[in-house]
Each structure stands twice: as structure tokens, then as C-alpha cells.
Amino acid sequence: MNKNNKSEKITIFDVAKEAQVSKSTVSLVLTQSDKVSDRSREKVLKAIDKLGYVYNRDAAALRSKRSNLVALVINDLTNPYSAQLAVGLEKHIGALGMLPMLVNTGECLTRQQQVVNTLKEYNVAAFVICPAPGTDKQWVNRLIESGFPVINIMREVPFSDAPTILPDNQKGTLLATEHLLSQGIEKIAFVGGTEDISDYHERLAGYQTALRLHQVASNNAIVPASTNRQGGREAFNTLMQTHPDTEAIVCFSDVIAYGVIEAMRQRQLEPGKDIKVVGFDDLEDSRLMDPSLSSVHIEADDIGKRTCLALAELLNGSAPAVRTLVDVKLIVRDSSRANNVR
């Protein structure tokens, strides 16, 4: 064979012959397996470089019934925390030698079903999904039964077969509520989130548990709302109509808190002094606000790391933990400090 004739395609057999190793050893190197010695890997890589061999990943995917693509199906990329999460996931998926494919469902169940069906045609290696509202266990389980590993993140689909990686939502709102209760404040509201997502119920439960543990009677100051700024504004105005004596608010998210603070100022109320506010997610902008926003911090990188540990187990045929909680912590800033009293 004339190595200088580019019309003659270099094959895996040519690489094996040049490196003086078996075809299977070359395959192991190409698929980034750890079941090959460093010496053999170096010989194969030198042979690939010398011959100009190009690995056809699409063809390899057809043969192995698996590509190196991991589908990241995110519920709402307009939410700043989702962007932080995607960055953390991308880094750790890349460390596995795989390539993330990011899609946005816009909190739409139909859109989620459509994009997943399309991605199945690309023969992705796995799905990492932040479920849209209304996702049920039957849909998730059918996806798994069709041969695709699935991991749910940030939200849980109750009783599905997919492992789930979650922040400790209940602990987060419990810490936020106890922080306010420790200042002698008892008229505390919970604002934001919708009843068709699991994290709403978890965060609401943490708030209610803190009130119960401190023997503070709940005054039913709970206002669900869309998880955007407008939802926060509308929820605060509703709260003022039903509970005008509210002293502090635990918000479902930082984005909700931003809307709450805007609506508060429209009523000539000063956040952190007239009414204290705590968010959830600890977005980058929260520490830069005036007043800086207290928030429950979720480390997006930890979510990404735990997700990829579970992914590696699934791809290796192991069974990861069914439910993994990632720790959270409360960051206290000016919007809820004890000394911020008018």
C-alpha cells in the first residue's frame, strides 16, 4: 500500500500493523479504555499520527450501538442557574471523554418528549434530564427500557427507575427559615414555585418543618408563582393583599427574590429593613445587588461531579445510588442580616 496516496483509506488494521499490536488493542486506545498499558497506548498513538488515521466515531457508534454524546436536556436555559449547571456538567462530562449535547425544553413537557425522541436517533450514550413539569415515571422508565441510561437532576420523578441527583432542598429552606426565626421574626412567608415540580414541595417542606420545630404557627402565607421575575412581582403583590403584616420572605429561588424586591420597592418598602428576603440558588448577581441577597448556595460543580460519577457507573453496567443529595449552605447577606432594622 502506498502511504502517500490519500485515496487509499487508512484502516485500524494498518494502525495495528504499524504499532505491532493487535486490532483489539488499537480499539481499546480509540475508545479511551483504561484496559491497555501506557506503553501500548503510546505505540498506537504514534502509529495513528504517522499514518494519518482518522477515527470515524459515527461508524464506531453504529457498531457499538453507543456514541460518545451525552444529551443534556435542561428545563429552562433562561434561568441563570441552569447556565451555571450546564457549565459544571460540561466540564465533568468532558473529563469522561464524552461530548455533551445541550438542549432546552422551556419547561414544556411536549417539547421535552420531542427533543428526546430526536436525540434517540443520534444514538446518544445517555440522557441527563432536568425534568419538565408533568414528567411521569412511565415515560422515564420506557426511555430506560429502550436501552438509554437516564439520570434526573435537580428535580425528582417519583418512583422512576432513573438515579436522581438533587440539592438538599429541604435543608436549604429550613436553614433560611431558622435564620429568620433566630431574629425573633415569626411572620414569615414562602413565595414562588409551582405545585407540579418536585423541588417546590421539597423547599416548601423545609420551610414548614422549621416553623414546626420552633413551635411557630403557620399563618398560611404561601404564594406559589411562576419561577421568573414576573412571578416574584405578582406573588409579592398577592402576599401584601392577604398578609400585609409579613416581616420576612423565604423565596423559592433567587430569580423569584429579584421580582419580590422590585415589587417591594414599588410600594416604597426597603428590602432587608421593612421586610427581610432570602433566595435560593445563590446566583452570581445576588451578591452584587443592593442590598446583597442572602441565599441558599448550591454548588453547580458538585451537581456536575455527582452526576458524572453516576453516569460512569451506568455506562460500566453498575447501579449508582437511587437518590443522591448534594449539600447546601446558607449565605447571609444584607437582605436578611439581624442588624438591618429600620
Side-chain angles (χ1 to χ4, degrees), residues 88-89 91-92 165 300-311:
L89 286 164
K91 180 179 75 173
H92 291 290
I165 314 297
D301 190 69
D302 285 348
I303 297 287
K305 186 183 300 180
R306 297 294 186 91
T307 299
C308 288
L309 286 173
L311 175 61

Side-chain angles (χ1 to χ4, degrees), residues 236-253:
F236 180 76
N237 289 329
T238 298
L239 181 67
M240 289 298 96
Q241 292 172 9
T242 58
H243 295 82
D245 57 348
T246 297
E247 300 173 285
I249 301 173
V250 175
C251 296
F252 173 81
S253 69

Side-chain angles (χ1 to χ4, degrees), residues 96-310:
L96 291 176
M98 308 189 81
L99 182 68
M101 178 184 288
L102 182 64
V103 294
N104 177 43
T105 64
E107 295 283 30
C108 175
L109 181 61
T110 300
R111 168 70 177 160
Q112 176 177 277
Q113 293 168 338
Q114 290 171 342
V115 299
V116 166
N117 285 337
T118 300
L119 289 166
K120 286 166 68 177
E121 296 174 6
Y122 282 85
N123 203 27
V124 296
F127 287 92
V128 175
I129 303 176
C130 184
T135 303
D136 62 37
K137 68 172 184 176
Q138 287 83 8
W139 180 80
V140 175
N141 290 349
R142 282 197 300 271
L143 183 56
I144 295 171
E145 288 163 5
S146 66
F148 293 94
V150 178
I151 300 172
N152 288 328
I153 59 171
M154 301 304 292
R155 294 175 179 171
E156 193 165 21
V157 179
F159 310 112
S160 78
D161 294 335
T164 305
I165 314 297
L166 299 165
D168 196 339
N169 289 304
Q170 291 196 42
K171 178 181 176 180
T173 46
L174 183 142
L175 291 174
T177 307
E178 288 189 328
H179 159 64
L180 298 167
L181 290 168
S182 70
Q183 301 177 43
I185 299 171
E186 294 191 353
K187 295 175 181 177
I188 305 172
F190 181 86
V191 165
T194 56
E195 296 182 358
D196 53 0
I197 51 179
S198 66
D199 42 352
Y200 168 79
H201 296 283
E202 292 166 357
R203 294 179 189 185
L204 176 60
Y207 157 81
Q208 292 174 323
T209 298
L211 294 181
R212 185 171 63 253
L213 290 175
H214 290 261
Q215 299 181 329
V216 173
S218 173
N219 59 355
N220 294 316
I222 299 167
V223 186
S226 300
T227 53
N228 52 43
R229 284 189 185 229
Q230 183 59 26
R233 288 190 286 266
E234 292 173 356
F236 180 76
N237 289 329
T238 298
L239 181 67
M240 289 298 96
Q241 292 172 9
T242 58
H243 295 82
D245 57 348
T246 297
E247 300 173 285
I249 301 173
V250 175
C251 296
F252 173 81
S253 69
D254 281 11
V255 173
I256 288 286
Y258 298 166
V260 164
I261 287 172
E262 290 167 1
M264 200 178 294
R265 287 203 164 111
Q266 289 176 349
R267 290 174 176 261
Q268 309 304 312
L269 296 171
E270 190 170 350
K273 293 185 178 179
D274 293 316
I275 301 177
K276 297 183 184 297
V277 183
V278 181
F280 203 116
D281 289 338
D282 193 26
L283 301 176
E284 285 293 323
D285 285 348
S286 295
R287 63 184 177 84
L288 304 174
M289 294 180 64
D290 182 21
S292 54
L293 179 66
S294 297
S295 186
V296 176
H297 179 80
I298 312 171
E299 184 55 63
D301 190 69
D302 285 348
I303 297 287
K305 186 183 300 180
R306 297 294 186 91
T307 299
C308 288
L309 286 173

